[in-house]
Amino acid sequence: ICKVKLSLYLYVITHDLFVLSVATVNCLDRHVHTSPDRVALIWERDEQGSEVKYTYRELLEMTCRLGNVLRRRGVKRGDCVTIYMPTCPLAVAAMLACARIGAAHNVVFAGFSADALAERIRDAESNTVITVNQGVRGGKFTELKKTVDEAVQSCPSVQQVLVAMRTDTPVVMTARDVAMEEVSEIIEVNKGLIKGLPEMLKEDVVCEPAVMNSEDVLFLLYTSGSTGKPKGIVHTQAGYLLYAALTHRYVFSYHDGDVFGCVADIGWITGHSYTVYGPLANGGTTVLFESTPIYPDPGRYWNTVERLKINQFYGAPTAIRLLLKYGDHWVTKYDRSTLKTLGSVGEPINTEAWEWYHRVVGDGRCPVVDTWWQTETGGICIAPRPSEPDAEIVPGMAMRPFFGIKPVLMDTEGKVLTSNNTSGALCMAQPWPGMARTIRNNHQRFIETYYQPYPGYFFTGDGAYRSAQGYYQITGRLDDVINVSGHRIGTAEIEDNQCSAVAESAVIGFSHDIKGEGVYAFVVLKKNIDIKEDDLSRQLNKMVSKKIAKYACPDVIQLANRLPKTRSGKIMRRVLRKVVERDLDGLGDLSTLDDPTAVQEIVEGHNAILRKQQQKQQP
Ligand code: AMP
């Protein structure tokens, strides 16, 4: 059956058919036709126990109204709308409303700073931004509208900002802003929780879907690469949707009537594919999780599982590692008998976290699927399921390629490694429907990053090990990208943010017991600068939070007189990594260094930091 479905869908894609607004008709109208009152979204609001349900009919209405607002306000097919919102029903409706009228959406994670948002708005050339007055997460408020105000000052393309109200706190409105108000009327559309555009209510609940080509753009999503500039990854209509839907159904064994709980934020690809598009294309019920794993306490996820009767739970290893430290009782006090499959995504899951997830959360009876994929792949490429129901699952391994995925490993000379029990650069030998089509405004970078390193293959940027049985295990990034709590960040992006005291810096990732990888910054101060380490750390953190986001701030800052460099002036990050990993025997050949004694200084500086950390830990 899967093969027939796949070839049918592939026919649609490869024959480049014109399809009626693929995304929204498949995600909404189709289901409204057969079961209008089925629940599409369960909004698990930050305030525990105050969830709100939206049926397919309600979501279609909200989408159509918002689509009509956008159309009337001049947003056209081919435009790109930036969405800077927390995970909530109006954000989903905003994504679908763009798709409905043939505009692309560009969701920017609501934790990004004004500068990072502005850079993404400019690159996407958005004329419209949709946001909320404030975000609410973990009981704290974030000033999203203020961040947008600051961002759009350097975005001449932006003509209008649509502002919804997540809280009752008023915000300053400018001539560019389109307000949302009049609670009582809006209750009808939004249940009074996020107050929708008053204009939305004037609009018809019918919004004719744009006729789209299967290869037209559905959305852009910015992600980090090894240079300082983020890449606007472009996904298109039919292939992406097909791939999100199929992987959602088969990797998680999703069945009609199940409640799917992906706790990722909609600002990341996981939120796009497995909170929004995959589940909705399958007519499923999907949870929109607005909170954090530890708010109001470390039982939050499992309280949600019990209350919403979640069948598939999909989360990140960083959260699992954090929760296991709080102890089993936060899990076991809740009923988790509805759970059927547990998923993990975003970074390697270590065996301890995997075992705990399986044994404690899943009571040893739910398969744990460690799913490997990326923004670029659109959906899951390697995962233990689908497979025979009792096929073995090896802890911490993504294991098996999905239908149509042909992974290969390459050696350092670019030759395909054919044997098992071997490691290499992970590439894909053939295309698949969900793959990214280009980088916005930079097709050349797309080719150079993904197709030139191994001609004839798609290069993932990751390394992998293939076991004796032929199973895949991801070993980590091969480029200058680090993965902090499952969020990708280019080391160059952080290095670009130097404060006035800094002459140069080098950033690497290091093993962190909760975040997976932490940010370790080596900093060389300008001559004659006298600054206390605490002040420097404060300044650097402020700068990185302002330019990127809080999650990118360095965990460790090591001052150095100089950095180890080659004679041509290239910083030897490999050497820095070995020092921080305490693998001094693995430093390798240092003869190519401009000044090999620089390494000794780095080692001593690192030892001093370790001593300080140990002293802090002592009671
Ligand atoms: P993103 O595009 O932000 O989703 O990040 C994708 C990157 O996260 C991949 O290239 C991997 O380095 C890492 N990643 C995602 N899923 C896994 C996984 N299951 N195991 C190991 N690494 C993963």
Side-chain angles (χ1 to χ4, degrees), residues 424-435:
L426 179 66
C427 293
M428 297 295 162
Q430 69 179 30
W432 65 101
M435 68 196 304

Side-chain angles (χ1 to χ4, degrees), residues 199-451:
E199 290 170 63
M200 267 169 77
L201 294 161
K202 292 184 218 144
E203 299 291 344
D204 203 338
V205 291
V206 176
C207 174
E208 203 51 42
V211 177
M212 305 301 286
N213 186 303
S214 55
E215 281 300 301
D216 282 338
V217 177
L218 177 60
F219 66 84
L220 315 183
L221 187 60
Y222 284 83
T223 188
S224 295
S226 25
T227 71
K229 194 173 155 49
K231 306 177 272 196
I233 297 294
V234 173
H235 281 288
T236 52
Q237 302 264 331
Y240 168 79
L241 194 68
L242 156 75
Y243 199 68
L246 279 184
T247 47
H248 170 252
R249 185 166 284 275
Y250 295 111
V251 171
F252 298 98
S253 187
Y254 184 85
H255 286 83
D256 284 353
D258 284 349
V259 175
F260 192 77
C262 167
V263 289
D265 191 284
I266 51 150
W268 308 112
I269 190 69
T270 308
H272 281 57
S273 302
Y274 300 107
T275 304
V276 181
Y277 285 111
L280 295 181
N282 285 324
T285 298
T286 181
V287 175
L288 307 180
F289 186 76
E290 192 183 36
S291 196
T292 79
I294 52 167
Y295 182 75
D297 58 49
R300 178 59 188 257
Y301 277 166
W302 326 118
N303 172 296
T304 308
V305 165
E306 177 182 287
R307 207 168 4 91
L308 308 188
K309 301 193 171 21
I310 288 175
N311 301 110
Q312 290 86 9
F313 181 87
Y314 195 25
T318 182
I320 305 298
R321 283 192 294 266
L322 176 70
L323 294 178
L324 80 78
K325 289 196 190 301
Y326 284 97
D328 298 2
H329 66 286
W330 287 109
V331 184
T332 50
K333 66 196 267 203
Y334 295 106
D335 176 10
R336 289 152 288 110
S337 58
T338 51
L339 285 174
K340 295 194 281 193
T341 307
L342 298 173
S344 165
V345 62
E347 48 169 324
I349 178 162
N350 50 312
T351 313
E352 187 194 5
W354 192 100
E355 301 275 5
W356 185 82
Y357 200 25
H358 182 250
R359 180 178 51 81
V360 180
V361 176
D363 274 332
R365 55 174 186 82
C366 304
V368 173
V369 288
D370 172 12
T371 61
W372 175 86
W373 61 296
Q374 330 174 283
T375 306
E376 292 85 342
T377 67
I380 295 163
C381 287
I382 308 182
R385 296 284 189 263
S387 55
E388 294 291 313
D390 296 324
E392 73 165 330
I393 297 185
V394 183
M397 264 202 172
M399 298 182 78
R400 304 178 175 94
F402 189 70
F403 311 145
I405 298 295
K406 285 248 155 65
V408 289
L409 298 181
M410 299 289 185
D411 68 11
T412 43
E413 262 121 57
K415 289 206 195 75
V416 175
L417 291 159
T418 49
S419 60
N420 282 351
N421 195 11
T422 187
S423 296
L426 179 66
C427 293
M428 297 295 162
Q430 69 179 30
W432 65 101
M435 68 196 304
R437 302 300 199 259
T438 186
I439 292 176
R440 167 90 171 189
N441 292 332
N442 205 342
H443 194 64
Q444 190 53 31
R445 185 175 178 195
F446 184 68
I447 301 292
E448 282 167 11
T449 311
Y450 304 109
Y451 295 98

Side-chain angles (χ1 to χ4, degrees), residues 124-243:
E125 296 160 285
S126 286
N127 55 20
T128 302
V129 178
I130 311 182
T131 191
V132 297
N133 63 334
Q134 289 184 308
V136 188
R137 198 160 174 268
K140 298 199 185 90
F141 299 96
T142 43
E143 303 299 327
L144 300 191
K145 164 68 165 64
K146 271 196 196 144
T147 309
V148 173
D149 286 346
E150 203 185 321
V152 297
Q153 278 175 14
S154 58
C155 301
S157 61
V158 175
Q159 287 157 9
Q160 54 189 346
V161 177
L162 312 189
V163 189
M165 297 292 282
R166 168 61 179 89
T167 65
D168 291 330
T169 310
V171 283
V172 177
M173 299 295 276
T174 69
R176 194 170 28 211
D177 301 328
V178 181
M180 309 189 179
E181 56 215 31
E182 294 163 32
V183 190
S184 57
E185 281 177 303
I186 292 146
I187 284 173
E188 196 194 321
V189 192
N190 245 324
K191 309 195 185 211
L193 294 165
I194 284 201
K195 296 152 199 167
L197 292 166
E199 290 170 63
M200 267 169 77
L201 294 161
K202 292 184 218 144
E203 299 291 344
D204 203 338
V205 291
V206 176
C207 174
E208 203 51 42
V211 177
M212 305 301 286
N213 186 303
S214 55
E215 281 300 301
D216 282 338
V217 177
L218 177 60
F219 66 84
L220 315 183
L221 187 60
Y222 284 83
T223 188
S224 295
S226 25
T227 71
K229 194 173 155 49
K231 306 177 272 196
I233 297 294
V234 173
H235 281 288
T236 52
Q237 302 264 331
Y240 168 79
L241 194 68
L242 156 75
Y243 199 68

